[in-house]
């Protein structure tokens, strides 16, 4: 292996501003539940990054079994930005090698406005149907769609309309009881941004941008993401 | 606006009423990484106390896991791991969480995050054998504790 100049920051592609401050104390890895999986741990990831061995990290599954929970960096005495480092390793995977459905979800969200590709008509029909059902118990209940000037704009986790629609009742009951002014939008209502997980900053920005656009157009006071 | 602030505000202002006695079993709370550590790092405020306060308005017996708040263990499904194919690793990861939960002896677990709730309810409970612990979202706990006042002229709208 060719010797590397540790001082040459631009050699490092994995994002961490402070990795060279690492004391190799191992506090990070000591409190991480996946230390050792795939022969790696977070302290070793820092070492690899410092040695310029980025590809080893990028190709390993460690950055993906790591949940980016932040426990390591919370405990790190040098406050090293470990989750940024790990997330950047995810970002450097070619998109077709992103594990599982994550990138497909991102692509679907960019295309259809939600991660699972529910068409607008189906979504609206579902809301109406569910609202009628809840209305039997709570007289006068309805789901305000695209209501301009509502106080709160709620996003929706696509998992709910997709698989567990009645879980939406929990929030609806609370909003009914509080007599709140709220709304959901008929398009780009997805509240889950998988770009965050795949390290895809461009997609993440686009998806956030759409939600913010809704929020502005609906002239709502607050945006709520019940995640 | 955070859901914790919103729920807390409703309760504080008396806009919603809840009945504690509906949930009398021992209850514990899982700190999701996003509302805790991440929020603390990014926005300077971690939501540790608000959800605990909300939960305690809706249940009679509350116990914390150990460790908790900023030192809490992740459920194992964060960062998109719930949707990634590494099931075995994810389950292995969750062993610390499972132990934390079991050690409390609680029979009801509150998780204010979709991901954590799914991981704990649908995976960890089975893998680590604590099916007797019920899992609810924080807003589900609130919704299930609601005492809804009937709207004018309408009949009683009671919770089941
Ligand atoms: S805790 Fe921080 S200083 Fe210690 S080994 Fe880990 S990254 Fe390095
Ligand atoms: S962020 Fe990743 S490496 Fe750090 S403690 Fe959590 S799972 Fe382990």
């Amino acid at each position: 292996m060719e010797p590397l100049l540790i001082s040459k920051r631009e050699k490092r592609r994995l994002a961490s501003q402070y990795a060279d401050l690492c004391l190799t104390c191992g506090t990070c890895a000591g409190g991480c539940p996946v230390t050792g999986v795939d022969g790696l741990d977070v302290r070793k990831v820092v070492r690899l990054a410092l040695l310029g061995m980025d590809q080893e990290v990028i190709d390993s599954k460690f950055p993906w079994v790591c949940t980016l929970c932040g426990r390591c960096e919370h405990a790190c005495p040098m406050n090293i930005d470990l989750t940024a480092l790990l997330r950047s390793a995810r970002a450097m995977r070619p998109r077709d090698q992103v594990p599982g459905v994550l990138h497909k979800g991102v692509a679907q969200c960019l295309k259809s406005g939600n991660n699972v590709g529910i068409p607008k008509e189906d979504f609206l029909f579902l809301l109406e149907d569910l609202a009628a059902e809840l209305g039997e118990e709570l007289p006068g209940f309805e789901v305000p769609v695209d209501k301009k000037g509502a106080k709160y704009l709620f996003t929706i986790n696509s998992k709910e309309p997709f698989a567990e629609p009645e879980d939406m009742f929990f929030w609806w009951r609370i909003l009914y009881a509080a007599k709140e002014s709220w709304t959901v939008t008929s398009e780009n209502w997805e509240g889950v941004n998988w770009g965050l997980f795949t390290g895809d900053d461009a997609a993440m920005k686009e998806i956030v941008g759409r939600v913010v656009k809704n929020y502005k157009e609906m002239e709502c006071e607050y945006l709520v993401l019940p995640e | 606006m955070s859901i914790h602030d919103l729920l807390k505000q409703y309760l504080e202002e008396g806009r919603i009423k809840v009945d504690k006695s509906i949930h009398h079993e021992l209850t514990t709370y899982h700190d999701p990484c996003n509302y805790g550590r991440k929020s603390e790092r990014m926005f300077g405020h971690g939501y540790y106390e608000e959800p605990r306060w909300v939960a305690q308005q809706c249940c009679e017996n509350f116990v914390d896991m150990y460790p908790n708040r900023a030192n809490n263990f992740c459920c194992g499904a964060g960062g998109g791991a719930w949707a990634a194919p590494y099931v075995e690793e994810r389950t292995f990861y969750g062993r610390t969480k499972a132990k934390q939960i079991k050690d409390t002896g609680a029979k009801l677990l509150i998780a204010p995050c979709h991901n954590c709730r799914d991981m704990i309810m649908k995976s960890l409970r089975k893998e680590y054998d604590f099916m007797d612990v019920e899992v609810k979202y924080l807003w589900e706990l609130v919704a299930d504790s609601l005492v809804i006042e009937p709207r004018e002229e309408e009949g009683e709208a009671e919770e089941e």
Side-chain angles (χ1 to χ4, degrees), chain B:
Chain B
M1 175 140 192
S2 158
I3 55 133
H4 301 300
D5 292 326
L6 188 59
L7 292 173
K8 190 166 170 236
Q9 189 187 325
Y10 285 160
L11 286 163
E12 272 174 353
E13 292 175 358
R15 287 183 62 184
I16 56 175
K17 290 206 182 68
V18 286
D19 180 2
K20 263 188 187 202
S21 67
I22 296 172
H23 299 94
H24 51 79
E25 59 274 59
L26 190 61
T27 304
T28 189
Y29 172 75
H30 166 67
D31 284 285
C33 317
N34 284 319
Y35 288 126
R37 280 188 292 267
K38 298 278 183 63
S39 165
E40 184 173 343
R41 201 171 177 94
M42 280 177 62
F43 309 110
H45 178 75
Y47 283 93
Y48 304 118
E49 306 313 324
E50 297 85 346
R52 283 183 168 73
W53 184 85
V54 170
Q56 285 174 59
Q57 305 311 304
C58 305
C59 65
E60 285 180 332
N61 300 301
F62 183 84
V63 62
D64 253 321
M65 288 180 215
Y66 181 81
N68 54 59
R69 296 179 170 80
N71 290 320
N72 190 41
F73 282 104
C74 169
C75 63
W82 183 247
Y86 304 119
V87 180
E88 206 181 307
E89 290 83 355
R90 161 155 57 71
T91 310
F92 173 69
Y93 191 125
R95 74 198 183 287
T96 43
K97 183 83 260 163
K99 180 164 190 311
Q100 271 191 296
I101 298 169
K102 285 196 197 171
D103 285 350
T104 63
K107 290 287 165 260
L108 175 63
L109 172 90
I110 305 306
C113 161
H114 282 275
N115 213 55
C116 308
R117 176 263 201 177
D118 282 358
M119 173 67 175
I120 298 169
M121 187 168 105
K122 298 177 188 168
S123 167
L124 294 185
R125 281 203 311 172
K126 239 180 278 151
E127 299 290 341
Y128 295 101
D129 196 27
F130 54 101
M131 289 305 286
D132 56 330
V133 177
E134 204 184 341
V135 185
K136 287 188 179 189
Y137 296 116
L138 184 65
W139 52 87
E140 177 177 0
L141 174 76
V142 174
D144 289 350
S145 310
L146 281 176
V147 183
I148 299 182
E149 283 167 14
R151 292 208 169 165
E152 317 90 69
E153 304 178 69
E154 312 276 10
E156 286 272 306
E158 271 295 326
E159 275 284 323
E160 69 270 65

Side-chain angles (χ1 to χ4, degrees), chain A residues 28-40:
Chain A
C28 51
C32 164
V34 279
T35 282
V37 169
D38 216 19
L40 280 180

Side-chain angles (χ1 to χ4, degrees), chain A residues 19 21-29 42-44 46-47 72-73 75-82:
Chain A
L21 299 180
C22 172
L23 307 170
T24 71
C25 66
T27 305
C28 51
V42 55
R43 187 189 65 93
K44 285 188 186 162
V46 175
R47 295 332 292 164
C72 50
E73 69 183 7
C76 172
M78 298 308 285
N79 199 21
I80 293 171
D81 41 358
L82 298 164

Side-chain angles (χ1 to χ4, degrees), chain A residues 34-178:
Chain A
V34 279
T35 282
V37 169
D38 216 19
L40 280 180
D41 61 57
V42 55
R43 187 189 65 93
K44 285 188 186 162
V45 168
V46 175
R47 295 332 292 164
L48 289 168
L50 275 169
L51 292 167
M53 295 164 76
D54 297 357
Q55 208 54 45
E56 308 241 339
V57 182
I58 297 164
D59 293 342
S60 82
K61 70 179 170 195
F62 188 82
W64 302 92
V65 295
C66 152
T67 61
L68 304 175
C69 75
R71 202 168 189 266
C72 50
E73 69 183 7
H74 177 77
C76 172
M78 298 308 285
N79 199 21
I80 293 171
D81 41 358
L82 298 164
T83 52
L85 176 71
L86 285 155
R87 184 170 173 270
S88 75
R90 291 188 179 194
M92 284 173 210
R93 272 275 180 104
R95 292 298 91 181
D96 58 350
Q97 286 167 36
V98 169
V101 295
L102 285 170
H103 182 63
K104 289 186 197 85
V106 172
Q108 179 60 258
C109 192
L110 289 173
K111 200 170 91 196
S112 68
N114 65 82
N115 293 350
V116 288
I118 302 174
K120 183 175 170 179
E121 311 81 71
D122 295 6
F123 178 65
L124 293 177
F125 179 78
L126 178 73
L127 290 186
E128 212 174 297
D129 206 43
L130 288 168
E133 193 185 324
L134 192 59
E136 285 173 20
E137 184 196 330
L138 306 174
F141 175 81
E142 49 180 44
V143 176
V145 180
D146 292 333
K147 200 173 106 196
K148 263 202 175 182
K151 189 162 177 196
Y152 294 99
L153 171 61
F154 275 73
T155 60
I156 294 178
N157 182 322
S158 52
K159 172 192 85 174
E160 292 189 324
F162 184 69
E164 299 168 338
E166 294 190 358
D167 281 5
M168 293 194 276
F169 286 175
F170 305 133
W171 266 113
W172 293 358
R173 283 207 166 94
I174 296 170
L175 293 164
Y176 176 88

